[in-house]
Amino acid sequence: MTRYLDLTVKEINEKLKNKEIKVVDLIKESFERIEKNADLNAVITLNKEEAFKTAEELDKKEVSSLLFGMPIIIKDNINTKNLRTTAASKMLEEFMPLEDADVVKKVREANMVIVGKANMDEFAMGSSNQTSFFGPVKNPWDKTRVPGGSSGGCASIISSRSALFALGSDTGGSIRQPSSFCGIVGLKPTYGRVSRNGLIAFASSLDQIGPMTRNVYENALLLNEMVGHSSLDLTSVKQEKEDFTRFIGKDISGMRIAIPNFYVSKDIDKEIRDKLSNVIDILRDKGCTIDYVDIKYIDKCVLLYQIIAMGEASSNLARFDGVRYGYSYPNPESFDDLYLKTRKIGFGNEVKRRIMIGSYLLSGENAKIYYNKALQIRDDVRKNFLKIFEDYDLIIGPTTTTKAYPLGVDLDDAVKSFLDDILTIPVNMAGLPGMSLPIGFSSDHLPIGMQIIASPMAEAKIYQLGSFIEKTLNLDLNPKVGVYDE
Amino acid sequence: MNKYIETIGIEVHVELKTKTKIFSSSINGYGASANSLTNLVDLGYPGTLPTLNKEVVNLAIKAAKVLNCSIRREMYFDRKNYFYPDNPKNYQITQNRTPIGYDGYVEIEIDGKSKKIAIEEMHIEEDTCKSTHRKDVTLLDFNRAGVPLIEIVTKPCIESPEEAKLYIEKLKSLLLYADISDCKMEEGSMRCDANISLRKNIDDPFGTKVEIKNIGSINNVKLSLLKEAERQSILLDRGEKFSEETRRFDNKNNDTVLMRVKEMGNDYRYFPEPDIPKLVLTTEEIEEVIKTIPMLPDERRKIYREKGLNEINISKLIQNKKLSDYFNTLLDSNIDFVVASNLLLGDISKYLNEEEKNIEETSLTKERFISLVNKVSDKTLTSKNIKDILNELLENDASIDDIIKKAGIKNITDSNIIIDVVNKVIDNNLDSVKDYLNGHDRAIKYLMGQIMKETRGSVNPALANKTLIAELEKRK
């Protein structure tokens, strides 16, 4: 059995260019690893046939770029043409998109090979990957623990080196929190950076697709290919082409970095705070300024999130009614019967709970009291963050309050599952880019992550600091599961 | 019946004449085979997002302007949430909080007086799909889903079914003129809902309101409101209470029929559409669009009156926008506009109708038409001549002079020659002269016939007639 997927992308690229290996070899290894790690339950649909066909075609072409021929996995709420896209829901168990998402088109244009669709929380609602209709995903570092969510399948796949790249989505932390739990690098870009066209909407004003990878450099490489304005998404931002790797390796001394006091409270696991302190010491030694700051309303963001995300979700998911596509209750007595039974059977409990709360929050006068008010405060949150960025280059803090917890723990504790995202949600509220990267391990050897947050469109700066920290810590982030057991 | 005061408010939905739909690139068309004009966006497929057709915004700006509305500079779209099979996303994108136009009016003329019907607001929204309910199935045609609409809402300020009818007529002519919609009620591109309530005294609060949905023609607007007012007044006379309800007009029974009693607090869970950012219109943009609005009927009427046209011709011209536009190109020339309007609305209109042509499709350029009008004004051509050479005028490019020459028309306009002919005819028909002098005017007709015979139709009839009467008078 080969171990090419343990190499860096640059090393693999050299081997491809030298014709030492072929794209088909990479893809074969990717599928072998996924199969050996079947117990992680990280994949909903494999794309074997098409992947090998693409690989064979690529092997006839010249190796044109670093991402050429690289295996990538796509979260199952991102549409892939003629490849089942379920959003991990019974509702879309058989759903076959007729179009690629914008971002999937870009990935194909970059000559990457889609190996499959990653498991996730149903409609991206959850933070432990336990709400999937296709069963929970497991954490490669400890298979009795959750990988985080909702992009848990992506995180598990990248962590286990079953594919090198993944596209996740992040509404309140769904890329960063599982990246933290699984010891990988995950970035939520600036809202509007990446087209949402083809992403099955959860909360439209918060959703953003982002790259999940083994390391910072490869993350920037993938983001390079993902971004750009789309005429099909009015919330996508007009932007200049830029190379997100351009600051990687550049000196960080003199950087001004802020830490919100809220991000170092006693509610955060001590081991996590210790690892962050270690990073802070390293940065100070390197000549960075680190100040503790207060950001008004940052502590209210979970509440804002619940109102905005559930309100929008209740409307976004109304289209799943059994009339045009997806699960449809057979032989209904009436339209009302069709709606009721299709949605009762087609949606899981967490999704139904959020739809109900969201509908309530938008009912009658509630929309004014809750949703519109939440939008106003959210504007303030954004302004408060931007004010910090007048004085600081970046904001840092932990990604999560805890390390990965055992499967089954917070399944019925709706409030706790939102507290998982207490440190990631403010970034979505303010529409900022934020990245999680590993900074160490707990005493029981579970990954711990930190978050780096930048002003809008300043992802390159995140990568600059992130790559420095990554290089300095030089952690071994391969859990060595599956193929390594032999 | 007349002891109650009627209060009517009207909501009109108008489909905009755009090439494509409001939020997708599908063609906006009527009459195509079912579901042929749809794409994934129209069907509300997962992952699809709305884009915004700028043409829709421009037509809405035009509409706001012709309805004398204030035009909002910063606006949002909202989602109206409700489950119904004709609603593909189960929410409709509309403008709930920030309609593009507000505080406008439409001026109508009633009993010789003008009245302003106040427009509360007008907003942009998407149409639903068309559902047809059969015995066991419901058929859905998504061609209409996503067709752009504007909804125009009056204040409850209409005081009679006749006013309601006049308002709809005026609204239609304005929207047609500004090329905003084709306003075909029978095809559903203009749809009308009317609310009516009765009360005894002007100081009383409004009575119970009943909505008549989807009225299919302008005449039925008036008719259905008359019937509904009658129904309500009978109930009120009897002292019966009735609830707010939705009715429809049944053509066969010529009466309104109950559809459903209104449930209180219909909850549409409106909230701002997160997929469409705030729309900002600059003054320049608005001005640019307003410039493209053609002259509206009221202004045309005013100008035509100034030019001396009679009311019948004015109305006919305004009803035919293409002819009216053509006529307007002549306004700065120095011609007899009465002659011009008679020519256009007479033989030329007849020809255009028969040939199913537009005036621009004929060879009658502005310059040739002016020349033609002048030939009629100076009596070179008679109305009989026009009929004879009409096809030449409209189908050939030759100059009017050449056509006249070729047709051999040589009208006698020399008054000396006319006097000679007239006297010759008078001398040969002394019996008729006697009749005339005895007060029998019909003798004129006979004598004119003789003059025409004598000149083989080449004498100008008006001149000949005038001369004949003058010469006859001399013989008194």
Side-chain angles (χ1 to χ4, degrees):
Chain A
M1 158 102 213
T2 59
R3 297 276 170 83
Y4 301 127
L5 300 188
D6 286 347
L7 304 172
T8 67
V9 163
K10 272 188 172 166
E11 288 165 343
I12 297 170
N13 184 253
E14 280 306 309
K15 288 189 189 299
L16 283 173
K17 276 189 185 157
N18 300 339
K19 307 223 182 286
E20 220 176 298
I21 60 168
K22 292 195 286 189
V23 174
V24 168
D25 299 326
L26 292 177
I27 301 312
K28 195 165 153 255
E29 185 182 322
S30 177
F31 283 118
E32 275 172 10
R33 284 177 179 247
I34 291 169
E35 275 151 30
K36 285 264 157 58
N37 284 315
D39 57 341
L40 296 176
N41 194 30
V43 183
I44 292 177
T45 309
L46 286 172
N47 188 32
K48 256 188 171 167
E49 202 179 318
E50 192 202 54
F52 278 113
K53 212 178 125 211
T54 309
E56 278 160 22
E57 279 163 17
L58 289 178
D59 279 328
K60 290 174 203 153
K61 289 190 196 169
E62 199 168 329
V63 180
S64 53
S65 68
L66 275 171
L67 295 182
F68 184 94
M70 297 293 163
I72 183 169
I73 190 141
I74 315 274
K75 189 176 178 180
D76 212 20
N77 59 348
I78 300 173
N79 282 340
T80 42
K81 188 175 177 177
N82 299 330
L83 177 60
R84 184 171 73 137
T85 301
T86 69
S89 179
K90 177 176 175 58
M91 191 62 91
L92 293 176
E93 194 181 353
E94 315 280 344
F95 181 66
M96 202 64 86
L98 295 165
E99 297 280 353
D100 276 331
D102 280 343
V103 73
V104 171
K105 279 189 196 137
K106 285 176 181 281
V107 156
R108 291 193 206 270
E109 279 159 20
N111 292 314
M112 300 182 85
V113 182
I114 296 166
V115 292
K117 302 302 291 286
N119 203 347
M120 55 183 280
D121 281 297
E122 185 180 2
F123 284 104
M125 296 178 183
S127 48
S128 58
N129 222 305
Q130 300 182 90
T131 69
S132 170
F133 173 68
F134 298 91
V137 178
K138 283 151 200 156
N139 191 319
W141 294 93
D142 177 348
K143 292 175 188 173
T144 67
R145 289 178 187 265
V146 302
S150 65
S151 309
C154 291
S156 188
I157 285 286
I158 299 301
S159 170
S160 62
R161 274 65 181 148
S162 303
L164 298 181
F165 294 90
L167 294 183
S169 75
D170 190 315
T171 306
S174 281
I175 286 175
R176 289 158 291 155
Q177 185 253 23
S179 293
S180 174
F181 279 8
C182 291
I184 66 161
V185 176
L187 175 108
K188 182 203 90 76
T190 309
Y191 185 78
R193 226 348 158 181
V194 178
S195 167
R196 291 186 295 115
N197 181 46
L199 171 68
I200 298 175
F202 160 17
S204 315
S205 71
L206 301 167
D207 295 343
Q208 187 64 193
I209 300 170
M212 297 169 80
T213 56
R214 300 173 300 176
N215 57 54
V216 173
Y217 176 72
E218 289 168 12
N219 202 279
L221 281 183
L222 182 54
L223 187 64
N224 276 347
E225 301 301 328
M226 294 167 63
V227 300
H229 177 256
S230 166
S231 59
L232 299 175
D233 174 5
L234 295 174
T235 62
S236 86
V237 178
K238 294 232 163 67
Q239 51 197 285
E240 299 286 321
K241 182 109 188 117
E242 63 177 288
D243 177 8
F244 292 103
T245 68
R246 67 190 187 278
F247 296 149
I248 289 179
K250 291 257 164 71
D251 188 16
I252 61 148
S253 56
M255 256 197 188
R256 296 180 56 82
I257 294 163
I259 302 178
N261 285 314
F262 181 69
Y263 275 21
V264 287
S265 84
K266 293 276 180 291
D267 296 334
I268 293 157
D269 187 306
K270 183 159 185 319
E271 281 187 308
I272 295 176
R273 278 185 282 139
D274 289 348
K275 291 295 168 201
L276 186 68
S277 295
N278 178 40
V279 169
I280 292 168
D281 291 343
I282 292 169
L283 296 179
R284 280 201 170 121
D285 282 352
K286 187 68 188 170
C288 295
T289 305
I290 307 238
D291 290 336
Y292 290 85
V293 298
D294 282 316
I295 300 178
K296 205 177 168 193
Y297 298 139
I298 196 172
D299 56 327
K300 300 284 187 279
C301 283
V302 171
L303 288 173
L304 301 182
Y305 174 81
Q306 290 180 320
I307 296 166
I308 294 169
M310 290 198 246
E312 291 180 12
S314 72
S315 173
N316 282 332
L317 271 63
R319 69 188 63 203
F320 302 104
D321 56 10
V323 175
R324 283 143 293 128
Y325 46 75
Y327 173 74
S328 183
Y329 179 76
N331 305 317
E333 287 164 17
S334 63
F335 268 114
D336 281 344
D337 193 44
L338 172 69
Y339 293 151
L340 281 169
K341 298 221 170 95
T342 296
R343 291 165 69 79
K344 183 181 174 187
I345 297 166
F347 288 137
N349 284 339
E350 179 66 17
V351 171
K352 277 185 279 199
R353 201 177 58 78
R354 295 197 192 192
I355 290 173
M356 281 190 277
I357 297 173
S359 301
Y360 170 77
L361 288 167
L362 294 176
S363 290
E365 289 300 298
N366 286 355
K368 275 196 197 98
I369 301 169
Y370 298 112
Y371 187 86
N372 294 2
K373 187 82 187 163
L375 287 188
Q376 277 171 21
I377 302 173
R378 170 171 145 180
D379 268 353
D380 291 338
V381 169
R382 181 176 168 86
K383 282 179 195 140
N384 296 340
F385 265 105
L386 294 182
K387 208 173 282 165
I388 299 292
F389 287 119
E390 286 172 12
D391 297 322
Y392 297 92
D393 296 296
L394 294 165
I395 293 172
I396 63 169
T399 309
T400 55
T401 56
T402 66
K403 61 198 178 192
Y405 42 83
L407 284 156
V409 160
D410 77 341
L411 202 50
D412 292 316
D413 187 345
V415 177
K416 164 128 191 9
S417 92
F418 282 111
L419 291 181
D420 278 356
D421 296 334
I422 193 165
L423 305 175
T424 48
I425 281 172
V427 175
N428 301 77
M429 282 300 137
L432 304 172
M435 183 174 83
S436 177
L437 86 154
I439 52 168
F441 291 91
S442 65
S443 51
D444 48 357
H445 208 64
L446 289 168
I448 287 170
M450 75 172 279
Q451 214 179 168
I452 308 175
I453 302 163
S455 58
M457 309 305 272
E459 286 87 349
K461 241 189 232 177
I462 294 180
Y463 289 132
Q464 182 184 5
L465 182 67
S467 66
F468 171 80
I469 296 168
E470 180 183 66
K471 195 175 163 200
T472 310
L473 295 174
N474 193 26
L475 302 167
D476 178 3
L477 293 163
N478 187 343
K480 299 209 166 62
V481 289
V483 292
Y484 303 90
D485 297 339
E486 290 166 7
Chain B
M1 268 283 307
N2 281 329
K3 56 189 168 170
Y4 296 104
I5 298 168
E6 294 163 344
T7 307
I8 297 167
I10 289 183
E11 290 170 18
V12 172
H13 284 89
V14 176
E15 288 182 352
L16 301 178
K17 242 170 112 175
T18 55
K19 280 184 211 74
T20 56
K21 292 186 180 179
I22 178 166
F23 299 125
S24 87
S25 56
S26 293
I27 297 297
N28 169 15
Y30 180 83
S33 63
N35 293 309
S36 62
L37 306 178
T38 60
N39 63 18
L40 298 181
V41 178
D42 309 329
L43 292 166
Y45 261 63
T48 57
L49 294 170
T51 52
L52 180 60
N53 182 352
K54 195 76 221 300
E55 216 188 336
V56 172
V57 178
N58 289 347
L59 288 182
I61 292 171
K62 274 193 189 180
K65 178 67 185 170
V66 303
L67 302 179
N68 302 297
C69 285
S70 301
I71 297 171
R72 202 178 295 275
R73 301 305 164 99
E74 289 189 7
M75 70 201 88
Y76 298 86
F77 288 84
D78 300 284
R79 288 191 189 175
K80 179 181 180 178
N81 294 283
Y82 64 96
F83 278 85
Y84 199 71
D86 72 0
N87 189 6
K89 302 181 290 296
N90 289 313
Y91 61 80
Q92 179 194 29
I93 305 177
T94 178
Q95 291 186 309
N96 180 46
R97 297 161 301 155
T98 51
I100 185 165
Y102 56 98
D103 291 345
Y105 64 86
V106 166
E107 208 163 352
I108 59 166
E109 235 173 76
I110 181 149
D111 304 329
K113 277 186 245 159
S114 92
K115 174 177 176 176
K116 284 178 180 172
I117 305 294
I119 304 292
E120 171 93 37
E121 54 107 342
M122 57 148 282
H123 61 260
I124 304 169
E125 62 186 26
E126 60 179 327
D127 211 342
T128 55
C129 89
K130 201 174 148 208
S131 53
T132 312
H133 303 279
R134 297 272 168 79
K135 203 170 61 185
D136 288 332
V137 289
T138 297
L139 302 172
L140 300 172
D141 177 7
F142 289 85
N143 286 356
R144 205 182 70 183
V147 165
L149 294 176
I150 49 171
E151 181 176 347
I152 301 156
V153 184
T154 70
K155 291 198 166 131
C157 65
I158 297 169
E159 292 166 309
S160 72
E162 174 66 13
E163 265 186 44
K165 182 189 163 195
L166 291 171
Y167 162 70
I168 300 285
E169 275 175 352
K170 186 61 181 286
L171 185 65
K172 184 175 168 178
S173 81
L174 288 170
L175 297 173
L176 276 175
Y177 255 81
D179 215 17
I180 291 163
S181 170
D182 58 16
C183 295
K184 290 182 182 162
M185 285 183 99
E186 67 282 7
E187 287 181 7
S189 65
M190 184 174 189
R191 307 197 280 271
C192 176
D193 306 331
N195 283 292
I196 176 165
S197 68
L198 304 188
R199 57 184 161 161
K200 212 152 204 171
N201 304 301
I202 197 78
D203 301 327
D204 294 346
F206 289 128
T208 306
K209 185 170 73 175
V210 168
E211 184 178 25
I212 311 169
K213 274 249 176 241
N214 256 325
I215 309 172
S217 72
I218 292 182
N219 281 333
N220 282 355
V221 170
K222 184 176 172 182
L223 207 55
S224 61
L225 285 167
L226 282 171
K227 286 288 175 184
E228 179 55 24
E230 188 185 325
R231 191 188 71 87
Q232 287 184 23
S233 65
I234 291 170
L235 291 172
L236 291 172
D237 281 348
R238 288 195 211 130
E240 279 180 40
K241 283 214 163 107
F242 53 94
S243 51
E244 283 201 14
E245 57 188 44
T246 302
R247 305 179 70 87
R248 63 180 173 80
F249 186 65
D250 185 4
N251 262 327
K252 275 187 210 141
N253 297 322
N254 211 11
D255 206 350
T256 63
V257 187
L258 179 70
M259 284 172 80
R260 55 182 179 265
V261 174
K262 286 224 174 177
E263 288 163 41
M264 295 312 284
N266 213 348
D267 187 358
Y268 290 119
R269 289 175 283 125
Y270 285 105
F271 75 101
E273 167 56 85
D275 288 327
I276 305 177
K278 178 169 77 175
L279 175 65
V280 180
L281 300 176
T282 63
T283 308
E284 294 74 39
E285 258 177 291
I286 294 173
E287 293 297 324
E288 208 54 41
V289 173
I290 287 175
K291 261 194 252 166
T292 65
I293 299 175
M295 192 193 287
L296 297 175
D298 284 351
E299 199 184 343
R300 291 182 198 235
R301 188 179 304 275
K302 198 172 141 239
I303 291 175
Y304 298 163
R305 278 182 185 152
E306 282 166 14
K307 297 287 182 193
L309 271 56
N310 65 44
E311 289 299 317
I312 293 170
N313 275 5
I314 291 174
S315 294
K316 277 187 181 169
L317 261 186
I318 288 174
Q319 272 164 33
N320 189 335
K321 178 165 176 287
K322 289 238 160 73
L323 278 189
S324 177
D325 284 342
Y326 183 83
F327 190 81
N328 284 4
T329 65
L330 311 167
L331 289 175
D332 53 1
S333 50
N334 186 20
I335 55 170
D336 186 331
F337 292 101
V338 176
V339 169
S341 68
N342 285 337
L343 275 171
L344 266 187
L345 295 165
D347 294 324
I348 294 175
S349 276
K350 194 165 162 251
Y351 170 89
L352 295 175
N353 288 337
E354 279 165 5
E355 301 290 318
E356 292 180 1
K357 275 186 184 171
N358 289 322
I359 184 91
E360 312 92 74
E361 291 167 306
T362 70
S363 62
L364 196 62
T365 59
K366 177 185 167 185
E367 289 68 31
R368 294 180 77 237
F369 185 64
I370 288 173
S371 157
L372 180 67
V373 171
N374 287 333
K375 296 286 180 211
V376 176
S377 303
D378 71 9
K379 321 280 189 206
T380 308
L381 290 173
T382 65
S383 55
K384 181 178 180 299
N385 297 148
I386 298 284
K387 283 186 175 55
D388 291 342
I389 59 170
L390 193 68
N391 286 8
E392 300 284 308
L393 292 170
L394 294 172
E395 289 165 11
N396 289 346
D397 288 331
S399 75
I400 306 295
D401 283 325
D402 287 350
I403 292 173
I404 292 172
K405 204 180 278 174
K406 198 176 148 216
I409 296 170
K410 239 199 245 150
N411 279 327
I412 302 165
T413 52
D414 184 323
S415 52
N416 290 328
I417 299 173
I418 294 174
I419 287 174
D420 286 351
V421 175
V422 166
N423 279 312
K424 187 179 168 198
V425 169
I426 286 176
D427 291 340
N428 293 340
N429 296 282
L430 288 171
D431 288 352
S432 295
V433 175
K434 208 182 280 170
D435 283 350
Y436 173 80
L437 293 175
N438 287 332
H440 297 294
D441 280 354
R442 65 173 186 279
I444 297 269
K445 212 176 159 192
Y446 174 77
L447 291 169
M448 274 303 291
Q450 294 304 307
I451 292 167
M452 285 299 163
K453 208 171 158 189
E454 191 67 28
T455 58
R456 271 173 281 154
S458 66
V459 71
N460 182 287
L463 273 178
N465 195 285
K466 211 172 129 197
T467 311
L468 175 64
I469 291 168
E471 292 303 309
L472 284 170
E473 286 300 313
K474 281 183 192 164
R475 309 219 171 189
K476 259 189 178 168

